[in-house]
Amino acid sequence: KKMETHAAGKLHRAFSVFIFDWEQKKMLLQKRAEGKYHSGGLWSNACCSHPRKGETMAVALSRRLKEELGFKTPTLEILEYPNQSLHKGNEFIDYAGKFQYFAQYDGLAEHEIDHVFLYHPSMEQLEQLHGNPEEVGELRWVSIGELKNWMANRPEDFSAWFKPAFDLIYKVLKEEI
């Protein structure tokens, strides 16, 4: 079903999850595995996917954080940003907003409404972090300044959705860092 949707270029829901280490002031980036059906080898946010039919966004987020990064988490509480309690160090996820985009790749298209989240894993969760090699080619922690310079100098290194998703997350982060 997913491949049919992408082949037809149908509009569908997606999500992008960013992870920020509040102590080190660094963001986790994922280099997509080379074998991915699109955007393989490009850098992107920590985790992204699509909710399955009938699956709530909270369940989808928890499922993919486990499948891609090894996080064993209960269904996450989604907080609307701005909220009154950015409990750094406690496990929850902020909803930063959504955007729509369209990108084509070798006969497939991503036509998505991408919901963007900022995940606040516990230190325990960060210690469990490991990329699934079918999904993740490499993981890298970068400062916001380093990331902004990288995006400005080498935008072709990043997935099509990364910049607009990052812009939403940056609005949240710049108020907190």
Side-chain angles (χ1 to χ4, degrees):
K1 181 81 173 148
K2 179 170 83 170
M3 293 306 283
E4 291 172 21
T5 299
H6 288 138
K10 292 181 183 174
L11 182 63
H12 58 281
R13 291 183 309 152
F15 58 84
S16 293
V17 179
F18 287 77
I19 295 175
F20 189 75
D21 182 330
W22 294 98
E23 301 223 353
Q24 300 295 316
K25 302 283 192 250
K26 291 189 174 185
M27 181 170 288
L28 181 65
L29 297 185
Q30 173 192 138
K31 186 175 188 181
R32 291 169 60 86
E34 292 290 340
K36 298 288 282 182
Y37 66 94
H38 72 78
S39 305
L42 295 181
W43 287 93
S44 201
N45 46 284
C47 175
C48 55
S49 192
H50 309 90
R52 294 177 177 158
K53 186 175 182 175
E55 186 177 51
T56 67
M57 191 63 80
V59 168
L61 292 165
S62 297
R63 174 179 54 80
R64 287 305 292 176
L65 283 164
K66 181 177 181 188
E67 290 170 358
E68 286 190 37
L69 301 173
F71 288 126
K72 294 176 181 75
T73 182
T75 300
L76 294 166
E77 177 186 1
I78 297 174
L79 302 175
E80 292 285 332
Y81 185 82
N83 64 68
Q84 301 304 310
S85 57
L86 283 176
H87 303 292
K88 297 168 192 69
N90 293 334
E91 195 178 343
F92 66 95
I93 196 159
D94 270 318
Y95 179 63
K98 64 184 176 183
F99 67 96
Q100 184 174 329
Y101 79 100
F102 181 86
Q104 289 190 287
Y105 316 89
D106 299 326
L108 299 174
E110 288 281 16
H111 188 191
E112 297 183 335
I113 297 174
D114 193 358
H115 297 265
V116 181
F117 297 89
L118 180 61
Y119 178 44
H120 303 262
S122 64
M123 286 309 295
E124 220 176 280
Q125 290 288 53
L126 286 175
E127 290 168 6
Q128 296 173 8
L129 175 67
H130 65 275
N132 174 347
E134 292 179 18
E135 302 286 341
V136 180
E138 185 180 335
L139 293 170
R140 184 182 298 175
W141 290 97
V142 297
S143 71
I144 297 298
E146 187 181 1
L147 178 57
K148 289 176 100 177
N149 286 336
W150 185 6
M151 288 189 305
N153 294 320
R154 297 204 37 95
E156 67 276 9
D157 288 354
F158 296 90
S159 65
W161 62 91
F162 184 76
K163 172 95 171 68
F166 173 78
D167 289 346
L168 284 172
I169 285 300
Y170 186 66
K171 287 178 187 173
V172 175
L173 285 177
K174 74 179 181 183
E175 294 178 17
E176 300 299 322
I177 56 176

